[in-house]
Amino acid sequence: MSNLSETQKSIEIPAHDLKRSIGSLVMWAVFFALLALSWEGADMRPWDLIENAENMSQFASGFFPPDMSQWKMYVEEIWITIQIAIWGTALSIVCSVPFGILCSENIVPWWVFQPVRRLMDAARAINEMVFAMLFVVAVGLGPFAGVLALWIHTTGVLAKLFSEAVEAIDPSPVEGIRATGATGLQEVIFGVIPQVLPLWISYSLYRFESNVRSATVLGIVGAGGIGMVLWENIRGFYYAETAAVIILIIISVSLLDILSQRLRKMVI
Amino acid sequence: MVAIKVTGLNKTFTKGKKALNSLDLQIDRGEMVALIGASGSGKSTLIRHISGLMKSDSDNSKIEVLHQTIQENGKLGRGVRAARSDVGVVFQQFNLVNRLSVLTNVLVGLLGQIPRWRGTLGLFTRAEKMIAMKALARVGIDNLAEQRSSTLSGGQQQRAAIARAITQGAQVILADEPIASLDPSSARKVMDTLENVNKEDGVTVLVSLHQVDYALRYCPRTIAMRNGEIIFDGDSKRLTPKLLEQLYGDDSLELLGSKQQEEPVVTSLPEQAVA
């Protein structure tokens, strides 16, 4: 019995940590202050939504019924959009494999992964649209500029994702390969890549999905595909046609998402 | 002829703990030697140094295997890759690549010998595949060659790892707790395979073990370690429970554990606990 009471005495519920609770209060205060501060800058006018409700409903009614008379042309342009995404993604996968390995701190020394990571940061930091505008100037209007834009941006994204997968591998099989007298490159090919391949495939398919979505707007800056048609319809106030294009984009993007999700489930 | 020679080996981990303390060791060709000791005694560390997977402190030390320098004063030797291809390493957790087939895992053993470009592209000739298949037949799992190695049982995976070392044409096999995560009958098969390679091919085998009875049964010579030092090196028969108690005190129970029971105790370490 004395033993029991002793143990009971020694157990204590940890005291409420004042420092920590003040800390979290401050965090919330900062968060709300930031929201308030950004109100002006973001020009938040929620009441306009109510005041102009009539205008908006009139505007919205212009979209109906959607005008599908030119659906063949739309489908062709969407197909071009998908082809832009296919090539942009494929080229970036090819580049992301070496760049991803060169970004991994468990494979290469810091003086390799640091500069390569910064390069990939740069490729990732700049939006596809910006790259597309630049490439339209460089290689002219059309889908090829879109492919190049997706290629550069997606390489930055995939190299980061690929290297994160590489950094999470189990090092022991790699040691097993090393112990046979293999070269560094052979260690990567036989020890690292088989381990990360399912993840790499999954990331690549996911990026393909997002690239199809991105490619639908690349046309706005002249880089080919359905975006160009969409932009022209909006600019010309052809809202019924715009609605048709939007519907077709939603259908095709959803179909591709479903397809690629199926594929991803198969490889994992 | 000397197979493994270690002189003045020191290893201090970053926390300041001395894992190996000016260790000297010599093993002749064709020997089958057991390395015993409680967990944390430095067995794995020693084996990882001999295979060149870990570098020693940078004082006067040298590790030679088959007269090739693996490391000297904490630096890997220049020809370490060539030297590694003569040394087969068998690990506690098998260290096979799970998603590759058993055959490919075994073919990896040839990487140190075939032209680099061909190895890098994974282009193995029929003759080379035959070498690998023969090695698999020898350890008794050639029927599993096409399966992914992750589908094999622990004992089968360990035998595949030994097949990799055979394919490698290794003259020395270093086995780091090869049976610690196996059930008794698999453990016996693995030890039988190692013994077979030692007796028939004259391959030098250094095998670290957790339990003394396997050392007694398979290895004529035993090296016992404690706190990074060799405290016994000689005929395995001299390792009586009494001597073990003198050497290890209470820890001797851990090493003898299996003797007091009918079946050897399986020390099933969690995967992460591999030193």
Side-chain angles (χ1 to χ4, degrees), chain B residues 159-175:
Chain B
R159 281 187 279 158
I162 297 174
R164 177 164 76 188
I166 295 172
T167 306
Q168 211 178 316
Q171 289 305 299
V172 173
I173 290 183
L174 305 170

Side-chain angles (χ1 to χ4, degrees), chain B residues 229-249:
Chain B
E229 289 177 10
I230 292 176
I231 50 169
F232 172 89
D233 182 356
D235 195 338
S236 301
K237 287 194 202 86
R238 280 175 45 213
L239 271 180
T240 55
K242 212 173 184 183
L243 180 65
L244 276 173
E245 211 184 321
Q246 278 175 19
L247 294 175
Y248 288 105

Side-chain angles (χ1 to χ4, degrees), chain A residues 175-230:
Chain A
E175 267 187 358
I177 308 277
R178 186 178 311 153
T180 66
T183 62
L185 181 60
Q186 289 168 343
E187 280 173 35
V188 170
I189 288 173
F190 289 94
V192 177
I193 291 182
Q195 289 193 59
V196 294
L197 201 58
L199 262 183
W200 281 12
I201 292 174
S202 162
Y203 288 149
S204 303
L205 282 168
Y206 177 70
R207 277 315 299 187
F208 171 65
E209 288 168 34
S210 0
N211 277 347
V212 174
R213 290 192 291 267
S214 306
T216 55
V217 292
L218 285 179
I220 293 176
V221 295
I226 190 71
M228 203 129 39
V229 180
L230 188 64

